[in-house]
């Protein structure tokens, strides 16, 4: 059984024997790569389908049980309704077919395989309509329209949380299975036993948008600085770099004191910063899941998130695995962060409960097995790997070697 995975793939996170210097930059998201790695560790042959704006012709790269097919991606695809990207990806898929395809996200990476005759399961990782409401621009309108086409055309859907599932219409829910996101097996391998907590809190967000709500967090930090004058605030991700939108906002409101505008970083460096932080603050107004919170829980860093922010309350076990606040209120955010920083007993309890809740509900073993069971159900037959899956010790050795390279 060859399983296809269509989506934004971070090629440098894949566990394969390929020189990363020879790889083009692709549209990338870590979860897609973690999903592929999880299938490879269980002995499956996998074909990944992704896209890049750096290539003139489609590329195919193979290593062991993994083949990556890269189609072309042109600038400003929204103006063309992603027609070129979808068609180029469709041709690439048909030239390198899998037995079944898991399409991560309900946009171009799902629309293309749905145009083939290959059975396709579409994974819903956000709520397009909610994003359009929070960011009402032409690009998000195009994305919502593509999502509408994909969701109605697909016969099998996976929602990444109960929150995402509940946003769907009654008919759509009938063809949808809820399978949560997961943290990868090797995430614990990245934990440093000698890591020392720094005197900073951290927010990781991709974009300075109304939905991500960084501006309210900046105001909350100005309140915290009065109580903790040595505390720093690290802002990581798109639009949080020096000179970016986050810094421009802070400068305009005279709120830059104590804030480090770091911007985008590689996945491993972000996780290291999270592990060394005193706390992860997630001010987002809406999340279909919240991967960075899950990663912080595994890193044993306490979390503060929004009590009405989509799936966040459930991910934080309704206040047991992390504290919840009103993200519309700088005072509420500051108060909950201060509770954690000033109470060592509470701090240790949140670390313990967060880690336990993550391990029990969102580990790779728990979630990948659910995906394989659903794949078997969709295909109407057992999903048999090409080779024997790696044992726990073999898996640890494979991960250790991949981290070293």
């Amino acid at each position: 059984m060859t399983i296809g995975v269509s989506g934004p793939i971070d090629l440098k996170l894949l566990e394969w024997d390929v020189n990363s210097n020879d790889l083009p930059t692709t549209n990338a998201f870590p979860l897609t790569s973690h999903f592929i790695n999880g299938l490879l560790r269980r002995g499956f042959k996998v074909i990944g389908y992704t896209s890049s704006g750096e290539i003139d012709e489609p590329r195919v790269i193979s290593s062991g049980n993994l083949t990556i097919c890269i189609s072309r991606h042109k600038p400003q695809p929204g103006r063309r309704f992603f027609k070129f990207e979808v068609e180029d990806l469709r041709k690439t898929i048909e030239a390198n077919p899998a037995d079944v395809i898991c399409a991560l996200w309900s946009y171009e990476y799902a629309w293309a395989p749905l145009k083939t005759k290959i059975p396709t399961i579409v994974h819903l990782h956000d709520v397009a309509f909610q994003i359009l409401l929070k960011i009402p621009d032409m690009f998000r309108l195009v994305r919502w329209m593509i999502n509408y086409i994909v969701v109605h055309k697909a016969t099998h859907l996976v929602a990444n949380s109960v929150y995402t599932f509940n946003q769907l219409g009654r008919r759509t829910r009938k063809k949808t299975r809820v399978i949560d996101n997961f943290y990868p097996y090797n995430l614990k391998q990245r934990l440093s036993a000698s890591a020392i907590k720094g005197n900073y809190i951290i927010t990781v967000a991709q974009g300075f948008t109304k939905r991500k709500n960084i501006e309210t967090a900046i105001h909350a930090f100005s309140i915290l600085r009065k109580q903790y004058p040595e505390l720093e605030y690290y802002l990581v991700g798109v639009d949080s770099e020096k000179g970016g939108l986050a810094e421009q906002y802070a400068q305009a409101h005279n709120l830059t004191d104590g804030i480090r505008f770091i911007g985008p970083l590689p996945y491993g460096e972000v996780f290291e910063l999270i592990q060394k932080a005193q706390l992860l603050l997630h001010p987002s107004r809406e999340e279909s899941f919240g991967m960075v919170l899950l990663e912080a829980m595994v890193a044993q860093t306490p979390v503060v998130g929004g009590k009405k922010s989509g799936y966040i309350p459930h991910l934080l076990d309704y206040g047991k695995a992390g504290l919840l606040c009103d993200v519309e209120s700088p005072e509420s955010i500051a108060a909950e962060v201060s509770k954690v920083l000033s109470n060592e007993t509470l701090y240790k309890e949140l670390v313990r409960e967060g880690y336990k809740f993550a391990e029990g509900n969102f580990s790779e073993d728990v979630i990948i097995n659910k995906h394989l069971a659903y794949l078997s159900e969709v295909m109407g037959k057992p999903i048999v790997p090409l080779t024997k899956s790696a044992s726990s010790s073999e898996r640890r050795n494979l991960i250790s070697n991949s981290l070293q390279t």
Side-chain angles (χ1 to χ4, degrees), residues 9-16 20 23-28 33 50 61 68 70:
I9 300 173
D10 189 333
L11 303 183
K12 294 184 179 180
L13 287 180
L14 295 173
E15 293 167 5
W16 60 344
S20 61
L23 300 174
T25 300
T26 58
N27 290 329
S33 302
T50 193
I61 307 169
I68 294 294
I70 309 171

Side-chain angles (χ1 to χ4, degrees), residues 23-296:
L23 300 174
T25 300
T26 58
N27 290 329
F29 191 75
L31 183 63
T32 318
S33 302
H34 299 328
F35 185 57
I36 289 173
N37 289 338
L39 294 173
L40 291 172
R41 293 183 202 123
R42 285 155 182 81
F44 289 95
K45 184 176 180 180
V46 180
I47 302 177
Y49 307 105
T50 193
S51 61
S52 171
E54 295 186 352
I55 58 176
D56 296 323
E57 295 295 332
R59 288 184 60 183
V60 177
I61 307 169
S62 296
S63 173
N65 282 348
L66 176 60
T67 297
I68 294 294
C69 303
I70 309 171
S71 62
R72 293 166 293 181
H73 189 99
K74 291 185 177 181
Q76 299 181 319
R79 293 187 177 185
R80 293 172 278 99
F81 211 68
F82 285 81
K83 288 184 177 180
F84 173 83
E85 286 73 21
V86 170
E87 184 62 15
D88 206 51
L89 184 57
R90 179 193 66 78
K91 291 178 180 178
T92 302
I93 292 172
E94 290 183 339
N96 304 272
D99 295 308
V100 61
I101 295 176
C102 296
L104 275 68
W105 270 268
S106 53
Y107 305 107
E108 70 271 26
Y109 294 111
W111 199 3
L114 286 173
K115 287 176 172 285
T116 73
K117 296 181 180 180
I118 301 172
T120 298
I121 301 173
V122 176
H123 294 207
L124 306 176
H125 286 273
D126 57 27
V127 182
F129 185 65
Q130 289 296 328
I131 294 175
L132 178 61
L133 290 178
K134 297 292 190 303
I135 315 173
D137 58 27
M138 188 57 65
F139 180 77
R140 270 75 184 189
L141 177 61
V142 170
R143 300 291 274 178
W144 173 78
M145 293 170 70
I146 294 174
N147 171 84
Y148 183 87
I149 293 169
V150 165
V151 168
H152 282 75
K153 186 177 179 64
T155 55
H156 304 286
L157 299 167
V158 167
N160 71 336
S161 68
V162 173
Y163 169 76
T164 303
F165 179 83
N166 288 337
Q167 301 297 307
L168 303 174
R170 180 172 53 85
R171 291 183 179 179
T172 303
R173 287 199 296 266
K174 289 182 178 180
K175 59 181 181 180
T176 305
R177 183 71 52 87
V178 177
I179 304 178
D180 291 306
N181 289 350
F182 66 95
Y183 67 87
Y185 186 89
N186 64 354
L187 194 60
K188 294 179 183 178
Q189 302 290 321
R190 293 181 179 271
L191 291 173
S192 172
S194 59
I196 299 174
K197 291 289 186 181
N199 192 25
Y200 66 89
I201 63 174
I202 188 171
T203 289
V204 181
Q206 302 308 320
F208 188 82
T209 63
K210 180 180 178 181
R211 178 170 174 250
K212 293 302 181 181
N213 194 32
I214 303 300
E215 68 277 8
T216 307
I218 289 174
H219 285 279
F221 181 70
S222 70
I223 298 172
L224 283 165
R225 280 280 285 191
K226 296 174 183 176
Q227 186 176 359
Y228 306 95
E230 301 301 319
L231 184 68
E232 291 187 307
Y233 186 22
Y234 287 15
L235 287 176
V236 178
V238 175
D239 293 338
S240 289
E241 64 276 3
K242 289 290 294 182
L245 294 177
E247 184 175 34
Q248 292 175 33
Y249 179 89
Q251 288 174 339
H253 293 81
N254 197 26
L255 296 173
T256 57
D257 189 32
I259 302 179
R260 290 187 58 184
F261 299 94
I262 297 174
L265 291 173
Y267 177 78
E269 293 181 31
V270 174
F271 186 70
E272 182 179 356
L273 285 178
I274 292 173
Q275 186 188 5
K276 293 180 178 178
Q278 291 289 334
L279 176 144
L280 179 112
L281 170 60
H282 196 72
S284 178
R285 291 184 167 98
E286 188 268 345
E287 293 287 352
S288 65
F289 188 84
M291 278 301 300
V292 70
L293 286 82
L294 180 59
E295 290 160 353

